[in-house]
Structures are given as structure tokens and as C-alpha cells.
Amino acid sequence: RPQYFAFDRLMRMRTINNPRMITSRNLQHADNIMDVCVIGAGLSGAYAAHRLLANGKSIAVVDARHRIGGRLLTAEEQGGGDLGGAWIWPRSEYVMQQFVKQLDVKTVPMHLDGETMVRTPDGERHILPSGEAARYAACGGEAVRVSGGAASMVEKLLMQDDDTPNLSIHLGMQVVRIKHDGDVIIISCTNSESNKIDEAMSIKCRTAILAAPPKVLANTIKFHPPLPKKKIDSMLATPTWMEDYGKVSVSFPQNWWRRLNMSAISIDQKGAVSTWWEACSGQDGDGSHATLAGFVTAHGASALQKMDSTAIHDHILDSLTNLYGVDAAAMGMQRDVDIKINGSADTDGFIVSKGGITVTYKSWLDDPYTNISSCEEVDFTSDYGDRELQQSVGPLFFAGTETALGSGHMEGAIISAQRSVDEVMQHLS
């Protein structure tokens, strides 16, 4: 199995070694006319680019983040827990099942063996016997996860195509304007770290796939000519998957829950993290450390916003000790160890390492490329897969999990990529 590095480190390394990898520190105007510009380097955008390259098209991929992956984000150096999309349901998601086989992705069943824990709002702890975990798991009893983290799939898609001259990847570049008139689209970008709206780079292409959340696209890009009102209103009315959630990943020196015959599945109605599960076993190549992961709801995120990084580490560890009935020392906590803090909850997550236990917290609620205030209010809500979300506009095509029927799962990203690529190929022919 190829070794996967943390995305920000990987992308910095590749930017230095690969002149086609352009970041905000190496700005230029792209004079060549590309066949397709893909806006968004998440799973949907990466798969669309991969399929188009296989069809001999020249591709530019643009993303405002300084990494690939979009809402797939793996805390790889901290153990391997997923901070974004994580689960696949093979029995009901045939398209996703075929995709992981095609990509030769190793999946791991959710760990459900052992006792399950519940903490009620009054702080009382309840132990449920073995065999109950599937009923209480956030993903249900039939989900699998990607060994090493779901974000590795995006990296694998773009790694396979890394040596082709038909691909360029532009990270840290936010698309602010799309103008299409005649046979050429001009996509204007600005440095996503800058407060200035001056154009930093432009890309010319024949078609474009917009593979970012519809509401984000509608609020951040000026279209010339404007998109039809029904189209833009539907985009504004579509909730973005994960926009009001956060995720926590906690890695440990040892897998203490399996040793104690626990499933790690738990429900916590008192702490900021509402439910927990095993994100990596730390065994047989499944992550570098034993890792738990959990959901942070909007209510929990509000509570964590009031704490500094060290306080969040202490709060989460205290919640875990009370929820599982295991003291910190038994979890591997060491005394008199330096505290290391880096990162930010609104970007790729902040990381607090203390006493050998590392807490990583990613707030999608505070992520400017996921949760965004609308510039214009609409009085209805669009369902995922709404026909208006899928509808192309001239040479502009739309992908992303919100444009596919379903619940925002990774399968929706793959289905939408397949549809948009078919539409682009027909348009170019």
C-alpha cells in the first residue's frame, strides 16, 4: 500500500518539485486554453478530473484551500481519523462500492464488538452489553471506512495522473468571476489568503465543472452572464453537507478500548461531542495510532468556541474518561510532557498534543468554504439532487454531492462526477 502523507505537507512538497503545481505564492496567467477547468478539488472534482484525463482532455483543477480533498480531511499524522466524510455503505451504495474496487481502496468494517457506553444529560453512565453497538452507532451496523482515511482516495486519484502534462492543479486560489462568451470561458481567481479582490490568475477553458457546494458557489462567484434566477435561487437554498457540524479525532498510544472489551461506540448527551466510534485501530496498518472520532453538533461547537485549545483538550479527555469509565493513565496519558499546539479549527483543524494523547478538532461550522452567509435570502429549501442544481448553463456544468439524490454521502460525489463528465464529453464533441 502506498504511504500517504498529510495533504498540506504533500502539496507543499509537490509544489516545489512540480512546476505545474501552482499555489498563491507562484501566481501566473494561464495562456493556454484548457479543455476543462474543474472548480473544487474534493472527491467529486478529483474524480471528474481523473475521468476526463482518461478521455484525453486537458484539465486545470482550482481550489481555494491549500490542500486537495475538500470535505474529506484526514488527521493522518495524528493517527488517521477522518475529520470529514468517512463512511461507505456497500449494501446500499453500489456505485461507491464499484468505485473503491476500481481504485483498489482497502476498507475496514466498523468495530462493533464489545460493550457500548451511554452518558445521559444528568451525567449518569450506562453500559450496554455486547451486540448493542450497531443500534447506537452513528453510521449504523453495515458501514465500512477507508483504511488510512477517506481523503487518501482523492490523493490517489490525482497521484495517478500526476505525471501527465494535461493536468495542472492550482491550490490557494479562489474563483471570483466566471465569464463565458462564445467558445472560451475566462475564470478569474484571487489569492485566497489575501483580503484584496484583485485578480491574481485567470484560466481560459472550453468548459467548466463547478464541483463545490452550490450555496458557496452562488455566494462567492460573479457569473457573466448571470445564471438564471431559478438556478441561482436553488443554489442559495441548498444546505451544504457538514455546514453545521464539527469532528474530533483523538489518538492514543494504545488501543485501550479493545483491550477492555469495548466497541468504542458511545452516545454522550452531556459533552460537546455527541457520539464516538473507532476511527483507526492502530493495528495491521489501520492508522498510525489507535484513534477515536466523534461528531460535534452546532450546540457542541458553540461550547467549544468559548474554550482555548488546551481547555478543549482537557474537556474532551475529561468527557472520555467519564463516558468510558477509564482514567487518563489507562488511556496512555503521561505526566510532565510538553504541550504542542498548532493549526486552526476553521481551516484544517487545530491539533493539541498533551501527555501522549493528541486531540484534533475541525469545525466545518467555522470553515469559510463550507459554511457561508448568504448574500441573498430565499424562502424555500432545495433538496439534494434537485433538477435545477444539476442543470447545466451553456458550457458550465455542476457536480458535488449536493447535486445528487441522497444524504450528502461520498457516493453522491461520485455519481455527480460521472454525470457531469458525460455531459462535458457530449458538449465537447
Side-chain angles (χ1 to χ4, degrees), residues 140-275:
E142 297 180 348
V144 300
R145 54 182 174 79
V146 176
S147 179
S152 64
M153 294 187 294
V154 176
E155 182 185 338
K156 197 168 187 179
L157 285 168
L158 295 178
M159 280 179 65
Q160 287 183 354
D161 302 314
D162 190 47
D163 59 351
T164 173
N166 287 338
L167 172 66
S168 63
I169 302 176
H170 309 258
L171 302 176
M173 302 303 297
Q174 184 169 358
V175 175
V176 293
R177 184 169 59 253
I178 297 178
K179 181 179 181 181
H180 61 98
D181 184 15
D183 296 331
V184 177
I185 305 170
I186 300 176
I187 296 178
S188 302
C189 309
T190 188
N191 183 341
S192 58
E193 290 183 345
S194 174
N195 293 324
K196 299 178 180 179
I197 60 172
D198 296 340
E199 179 183 323
M201 181 184 74
S202 64
I203 298 172
K204 296 178 181 178
C205 55
R206 294 182 175 87
T207 58
I209 294 177
L210 285 71
K215 186 161 67 173
V216 175
L217 294 169
N219 281 287
T220 57
I221 299 176
K222 293 186 181 299
F223 294 89
H224 303 280
L227 296 179
K229 180 171 174 49
K230 286 182 65 176
K231 174 79 174 179
I232 203 76
D233 283 351
S234 294
M235 293 169 69
L236 291 168
T238 304
T240 298
W241 178 78
M242 286 297 288
E243 68 181 353
D244 53 357
Y245 278 87
K247 270 192 173 181
V248 168
S249 171
V250 186
S251 59
F252 302 88
Q254 55 187 310
N255 193 318
W256 50 266
W257 53 92
R258 290 200 181 198
R259 177 170 51 84
L260 297 173
N261 190 35
M262 296 181 184
S263 66
I265 300 296
S266 66
I267 302 294
D268 191 356
Q269 298 176 325
K270 185 175 177 64
V273 184
S274 61
T275 181

Side-chain angles (χ1 to χ4, degrees), residues 253-254 313-314 317 327-335 354-357:
Q254 55 187 310
H313 185 287
D314 294 344
L317 191 59
D327 63 37
M331 293 179 176
M333 184 74 172
Q334 305 165 14
R335 295 184 178 182
K354 181 180 179 182
I357 296 176

Side-chain angles (χ1 to χ4, degrees), residues 75-126:
E76 295 188 31
E77 291 184 342
Q78 293 75 52
D82 282 307
L83 297 169
W87 297 314
I88 301 166
W89 289 264
R91 290 187 62 180
S92 60
E93 295 185 338
Y94 175 78
V95 173
M96 195 66 195
Q97 183 183 21
Q98 294 302 113
F99 170 76
V100 296
K101 286 182 178 179
Q102 170 196 342
L103 207 59
D104 193 24
V105 170
K106 178 184 177 182
T107 59
V108 181
M110 291 299 295
H111 178 60
L112 301 172
D113 297 334
E115 297 173 335
T116 295
M117 307 300 165
V118 176
R119 186 166 66 147
T120 51
D122 59 4
E124 187 174 349
R125 179 171 166 266
H126 303 267

